[in-house]
Amino acid sequence: GQERATCLYSEPFSGTGLPSGWTLLPEQVEILDQNGEGTGAFTAAWTTGTTAQANALGYFPVPDDPPGNSFAMANDDAPPCDCAMMDVSLVSPAYDLSTAPAPAVSYRVYHDGLPVYGRAWLEASTDGAVWTTLEEIPALHGTWQRRMVDLSAFTSAPVQLRFRYDDNGDWSSGMAVDDVCIFARVPDDIALVNAWLGD
């Protein structure tokens, strides 16, 4: 029969607020006015919500997949933001992978990079101070991406993951994260990442 990996740790972001143990860096960002000037008011950069909340003003079109789905997001558009979102991070709890053979993390992400400058990364740390870039998440418009990254280098001490977003100091759409799953990779671990037809 087919061997399937099961999550050692999982986070579907299905609650009304950020899950226990997940933190923000920084904890608050400044709300900007329509001219991009600071208002002196602050709010959390990351929240949980749905497609309707993400795309309330029409510029952060996170697909509703599956319908009614909830996810974590750094929304650089809909109220209470437009915000100053240069280098905002959603940080996981620390996960002990010391007994996990060939650990990896899979997750879904919506990151379209629109209109020009938004960038996103997945990073890891065993001390909360020095962060290693696991991947820069490519911008892809109109669809959730399902991504997977090996965590075998992080079994010596509990590891934290952080999803980092940067609007480069300009107006941008945002970043959404869902269905984080840390699992032990199975022996026959392959994935189709691209397919095309041609002569």
Side-chain angles (χ1 to χ4, degrees):
Q2 186 179 13
E3 189 173 2
R4 284 187 169 274
T6 57
C7 300
L8 304 172
Y9 305 99
S10 65
E11 184 48 63
F13 299 106
S14 57
T16 56
L18 290 173
S20 176
W22 288 75
T23 57
L24 307 181
L25 291 174
E27 289 187 5
Q28 300 273 298
V29 292
E30 188 170 15
I31 299 172
L32 307 178
D33 64 19
Q34 61 185 3
N35 298 316
E37 301 295 329
T39 63
F42 291 81
T43 189
W46 289 83
T47 59
T48 57
T50 64
T51 291
Q53 293 164 308
N55 201 28
L57 293 184
Y59 297 102
F60 188 28
V62 182
D64 191 21
D65 179 24
N69 185 46
S70 178
F71 44 85
M73 61 180 150
N75 191 336
D76 208 13
D77 173 53
C81 291
D82 189 11
C83 293
M85 286 198 180
M86 290 184 68
D87 199 10
V88 295
S89 295
L90 177 64
V91 184
S92 78
Y95 301 117
D96 182 1
L97 305 181
S98 60
T99 61
V105 60
S106 67
Y107 63 98
R108 294 198 313 146
V109 60
Y110 183 78
H111 165 58
D112 58 24
L114 295 176
V116 179
Y117 301 111
R119 297 177 70 187
W121 300 264
L122 174 62
E123 300 169 330
S125 176
T126 55
D127 62 8
V130 177
W131 292 88
T132 299
T133 299
L134 300 178
E135 66 173 350
E136 180 166 358
I137 300 164
L140 185 62
H141 180 62
T143 187
W144 284 92
Q145 301 178 58
R146 185 172 295 278
R147 308 202 54 87
M148 189 197 77
V149 180
D150 183 74
L151 296 176
S152 296
F154 300 94
T155 57
S156 61
V159 63
Q160 289 179 281
L161 302 176
R162 76 174 181 183
F163 296 92
R164 185 161 69 92
Y165 173 74
D166 191 336
D167 67 5
N168 201 38
D170 207 335
W171 181 88
S172 195
S173 56
M175 175 186 183
V177 177
D178 202 7
D179 298 332
V180 177
C181 172
I182 295 177
F183 63 98
R185 297 175 69 172
V186 296
D188 298 316
D189 185 7
I190 62 173
L192 179 66
V193 294
N194 200 358
W196 63 93
L197 298 174
D199 295 333

